Amino acid sequence: MSVAVAATLAVFLAFLLVSPVQVLNLALGVWFTQLFVFLGGGWLVLSATGRAPARYTGLSTWSVGSAAFGFALGVANFFGIIAPVQYLAQFVLPASWNDYDVSGIFLGHSPVELALIVAGLGIGAPLCEEFFFRGVFFRGLLSRGGPPWRALFFSAALFSAFHLDRMGFVSRLELGLLFGWLLWRTGSLWPGILAHAANNLVSTALFFSAQHLEPAQTPSPGDEGRMVVLLALGGCAVLLGLLSAARRFPGLLGGPLRPAEEREAPEPPVHLEPPARLLRRAFPGMMAATLVLGAYVVLDPVGIELSQVDLRYPLAPVPEEAPDALHAERNALYELRVRARRGETPVGAYAQERRRQSRQSGGGRPPVLPAPNLPPSKESP
């Protein structure tokens, strides 16, 4: 068994165990999953097999230049590749594949929860996911031999699949390829972490910017398409410029390309510690996770009750082409949740409105929009 297989099994089992935390509270769930599953699970497997986690994953290798280059590459890649791919996916793929309601991630939360979610996306996810998917899984596959592109592709595919978003699978696959290439090229995890952070922060900033647009300022579909094309052209130009600069100045990528035997050095098979010693090694993390969950249950009963309401009455994302009244209704629901969170409104009032909108949207299925008013055809009576 290789490190990649052992770590994947450990993280998958841990993910199944802690997935209910995402239901209890999204802000807590984001950090809980990142720290105790991706970072903790990967760290446990590496340390239990006699490896130094920070050195093995490239976390201990740091260069300001390559880290800054990774951040710039992440921004350019978002506009040049990710944004147009996501935009096209809306037209090419079925609407039922839209598994993510982005507004549900950011809206309807208290200021503290919102800050934790944004920090989790901008700091926690880049650090912990890169540690596992690139530092542990990709490095583990790479050390087994074979062409590097194979390890790069499989690690990127696993990274994308873990997000459970069919509409965004291709774009996250591309991100996984980029982050993996940065680790393979530089030997450091930090350029990929910074590129990952840049991607998440830019998309988050764009979402909040769009929330402040008045209906009259919202671009039409035609204007939106032209804007995406212009941004894609500019992003691709910057992306090519950065890659060209890295070829001319290898220091941007941490120096010249390292020898293949150093980048893809084979490793001995995994020999896990005896179960008793492994349990002792995992015990501090398990206790910390238990204390965090216990403290949350005691300190936030209202949040748990609201999360149960959300789970009981799922909502489908409101399509962009839906009437303004439908968007306003959904935003009012999120505001009602915030008031219930503060204790200004009974949770029952929020539950009643949530149930009504859930039924209106088909219990989590995309809502049926009214047919557009078309002029009658000549054949119609």
Side-chain angles (χ1 to χ4, degrees), residues 77 82 129-130 133-134 138 149 151-161 163 168-184 192 195-196 199:
N77 184 76
I82 299 302
E129 290 180 7
E130 291 309 303
F133 288 106
R134 254 62 64 180
F138 171 62
W149 64 262
L152 197 61
F153 176 80
F154 280 112
S155 61
L158 181 68
F159 166 71
S160 185
H163 286 80
F169 182 85
V170 174
S171 59
R172 286 192 181 87
L173 178 68
E174 190 275 340
L175 286 173
L177 294 173
L178 174 65
F179 303 153
W181 174 79
L182 283 170
L183 174 60
W184 177 82
H196 195 154
N199 179 85

Side-chain angles (χ1 to χ4, degrees), residues 21 27-28 43 45 52 90 111 124 151 174 190 271 333:
V21 181
L28 173 66
W43 197 285
V45 169
Q90 301 175 27
E174 190 275 340
W190 289 103
H271 296 291
L333 177 67

Side-chain angles (χ1 to χ4, degrees), residues 267-351:
E267 62 179 21
V270 171
H271 296 291
L272 289 175
E273 296 176 341
R277 184 178 298 178
L278 189 61
L279 185 60
R280 285 198 300 270
R281 189 183 291 275
F283 184 75
M286 295 167 60
M287 282 299 300
T290 303
L291 290 174
V292 168
L293 285 179
Y296 174 71
V297 170
V298 172
L299 297 175
D300 193 19
V302 175
I304 294 176
E305 189 175 359
L306 287 170
S307 298
Q308 290 175 340
V309 172
D310 296 340
L311 182 63
R312 189 178 302 122
Y313 304 117
L315 294 173
V318 178
E320 292 186 7
E321 66 273 15
D324 292 340
L326 199 58
H327 286 281
E329 191 177 65
R330 183 61 58 84
N331 290 333
L333 177 67
Y334 291 134
E335 293 174 3
L336 182 63
R337 191 186 194 280
V338 172
R339 293 199 299 272
R341 191 77 173 79
R342 295 172 181 165
E344 300 171 359
T345 301
V347 175
Y350 169 72

